[in-house]
Amino acid sequence: MNKTTFDGKGIRVFDCDSRWDFAINTDKFIIHITGGSVVISDKKTGAKLNQIRGYNYLYTGDVKPDETELFALENGKHFYIISLEDFTQKLKVTLPRSYEAIDVCGSFSSDGEILYVPVHRWRNNGYEYCLCEYETKSYSLVSMKEIPYSQVPRWI
């Protein structure tokens, strides 16, 4: 997968050449999400700014349009918000009860005020897919809408 988005403030390029390395290129950063860690490098110099370790099954993410926060989604029941100002984990957010995010991509809205996270659960002999919307001041869930499988943003 290789996807480029332009939100009026900058270009974000997402690249997934292998199952174990998801890269996000922004105006300021190159970010690699590698399952167990997040590696943040300076785009201009290539210097590694930080590596945050200790994650399990962390594979996709997005950068807020103002490049202040990284959203990192695990294959499972959580996502993380990492500051791109001081390179620390700010939040660990648990997805709605009995839902998971497996092999999907979440994203920020173009204004950075909403985070979209696709989730699913097994129900009545099949999967039910929903798109969760979180406001980005405190990352509280504001809505959850059922969506068809064909609209689920996937990375593989």
Side-chain angles (χ1 to χ4, degrees), residues 1 29 32 50 61 105 127 153:
M1 175 189 85
F29 304 105
H32 290 271
N50 204 333
C105 289
Y127 283 104

Side-chain angles (χ1 to χ4, degrees), residues 19-79:
R19 186 169 172 89
W20 308 113
D21 191 10
F22 186 86
I24 306 169
N25 294 297
T26 70
D27 290 340
K28 296 179 187 175
F29 304 105
I30 298 172
I31 300 166
H32 290 271
I33 299 174
T34 64
S37 67
V38 174
V39 180
I40 305 164
S41 300
D42 182 275
K43 175 119 183 211
K44 289 182 180 139
T45 67
K48 183 163 78 171
L49 300 171
N50 204 333
Q51 182 170 4
I52 306 165
R53 294 186 169 108
Y55 297 104
N56 291 309
Y57 307 109
L58 197 64
Y59 292 115
T60 66
D62 193 12
V63 173
K64 203 171 192 180
D66 65 6
E67 297 195 41
T68 59
E69 294 178 335
L70 167 69
F71 151 73
L73 181 63
E74 73 178 22
N75 259 4
K77 298 181 180 292
H78 303 97
F79 68 83

Side-chain angles (χ1 to χ4, degrees), residues 36-135:
S37 67
V38 174
V39 180
I40 305 164
S41 300
D42 182 275
K43 175 119 183 211
K44 289 182 180 139
T45 67
K48 183 163 78 171
L49 300 171
N50 204 333
Q51 182 170 4
I52 306 165
R53 294 186 169 108
Y55 297 104
N56 291 309
Y57 307 109
L58 197 64
Y59 292 115
T60 66
D62 193 12
V63 173
K64 203 171 192 180
D66 65 6
E67 297 195 41
T68 59
E69 294 178 335
L70 167 69
F71 151 73
L73 181 63
E74 73 178 22
N75 259 4
K77 298 181 180 292
H78 303 97
F79 68 83
Y80 302 86
I81 301 299
I82 296 168
S83 169
L84 292 175
E85 296 171 323
D86 65 11
F87 309 110
T88 60
Q89 179 183 305
K90 291 173 57 177
L91 290 170
K92 176 182 180 181
V93 178
T94 302
L95 298 174
R97 187 180 178 109
S98 49
Y99 284 89
E100 292 183 307
I102 306 291
D103 297 333
V104 296
C105 289
S107 62
F108 285 102
S109 62
S110 62
D111 62 8
E113 293 187 12
I114 298 290
L115 174 65
Y116 301 101
V117 182
V119 297
H120 69 271
R121 70 177 173 177
W122 184 260
R123 187 171 185 173
N124 300 326
N125 297 320
Y127 283 104
E128 171 186 279
Y129 298 92
C130 293
L131 188 62
C132 295
E133 295 182 8
Y134 292 85
E135 56 80 18

